[in-house]
Amino acid sequence: MVAWSLRAFDSLDSTNEEIRRQAEAGAAEGLAVLARTQTAGRGRRGRAWESPPGNLFLSLLLRPKATPAEAATLSFLTAVALLEALDLAAIPAKLTCKWPNDVLVNGAKIAGILLESRTGSDGALGWVTVGIGVNLAWHPSETSYPVTSLAAHGVTTAPEEFTNWLLARYGYWYGRWQAEGFAPVRAAWLARAQGLGQPVIVRLPDSELHGVFVALDDCGALLLELPDGRRQTVTAGDVFPAG
């Protein structure tokens, strides 16, 4: 199991940026950086991530002995660990995960996950930064998709307390991932996956796919059964319920 070393800051530009700086300076695996606020937080595809006090802004430094493709499955591990940390918060709502890396409460997004990595000139993986943001005390009101927070469900949890829960669950799953590979993580993720076995729409940059979400492959790609019975592998896109 990884040994965590937690460093807390009042404010940072970005916890992922701090991990990057520490990784390039030779920091060991297991460094966890927590910030009360961020001035330049970011989500997937460079989107800004609002960072008010009271929410969780945490990044982890990992140095797995894995290929870049194998390390990409850490996003699913992160979602599973987040779901189990939310279980410990005893939130009175349905918790699910949405492909590729969202965590939902009653269908509304409560957390964001951002993986960034560095490979050497030989293509070998140097390190992985796992950025995690969780709406504990606050969530934005004007978004293009439903969002929520723990506070909106009557649950009060400090970032430090939630960090302890999350690091414990992350350490457990990271140990299993290292010893057994992606299979147990995939099974745990699928057990709580939104839309599994149901018709969905996958929105791609320039098109849409319609079909039934049937599984994840060995690399975490979504397997979609098309109306004609063929199976389509989807490696990137946004998934929505059909109808």
Side-chain angles (χ1 to χ4, degrees):
M1 183 177 290
V2 65
W4 300 113
S5 174
L6 179 62
R7 299 183 191 176
F9 296 82
D10 216 23
S11 179
L12 284 172
D13 51 351
S14 157
T15 56
N16 264 29
E17 280 300 302
E18 179 63 18
I19 286 288
R20 180 190 60 78
R21 291 188 286 263
Q22 295 295 330
E24 291 180 348
E29 176 174 82
L31 175 63
V33 169
L34 177 69
R36 183 170 179 269
T37 62
Q38 297 181 119
T39 59
R42 64 183 184 276
R44 290 175 59 210
R45 301 174 184 169
R47 296 167 181 152
W49 187 268
E50 295 188 64
S51 305
N55 283 356
L56 180 81
F57 314 110
L58 178 72
S59 293
L60 313 176
L61 172 60
L62 302 177
R63 296 184 181 275
K65 294 178 180 178
T67 66
E70 290 168 339
T73 64
L74 288 169
S75 63
F76 297 93
L77 185 160
T78 306
V80 170
L82 271 169
L83 286 164
E84 294 187 355
L86 288 166
D87 286 337
L88 293 171
I91 184 168
K94 183 179 181 180
L95 306 178
T96 57
C97 44
K98 176 176 174 286
W99 189 88
N101 61 359
D102 284 341
V103 173
L104 309 179
V105 176
N106 285 349
K109 183 172 178 174
I110 195 169
I113 299 166
L114 178 63
L115 264 61
E116 297 178 312
S117 61
R118 178 64 54 86
T119 55
S121 57
D122 59 354
L125 186 69
W127 47 264
V128 178
T129 298
V130 181
I132 303 166
V134 183
N135 297 334
L136 301 179
W138 176 92
H139 64 276
S141 57
E142 297 182 5
T143 61
S144 59
Y145 49 85
V147 294
T148 192
S149 62
L150 282 184
H153 292 270
V155 177
T156 301
T157 301
E160 295 78 9
E161 181 179 36
F162 195 86
T163 295
N164 289 335
W165 294 336
L166 180 56
L167 292 182
R169 299 317 303 154
Y170 207 104
Y172 167 80
W173 281 108
Y174 187 57
R176 289 198 65 182
W177 181 86
Q178 289 178 305
E180 304 173 53
F182 181 46
V185 173
R186 178 178 58 187
W189 189 94
L190 285 170
R192 303 177 79 163
Q194 183 189 62
L196 182 64
Q198 299 174 4
V200 297
I201 299 170
V202 182
R203 292 181 182 161
L204 308 175
D206 55 0
S207 63
E208 288 185 353
L209 294 172
H210 294 248
V212 175
F213 172 21
V214 293
L216 297 180
D217 75 4
D218 293 342
C219 298
L222 184 147
L223 296 179
L224 191 70
E225 186 173 287
L226 302 177
D228 63 6
R230 291 182 299 117
R231 286 197 173 185
Q232 176 84 35
T233 300
V234 182
T235 58
D238 291 313
V239 179
F240 300 91

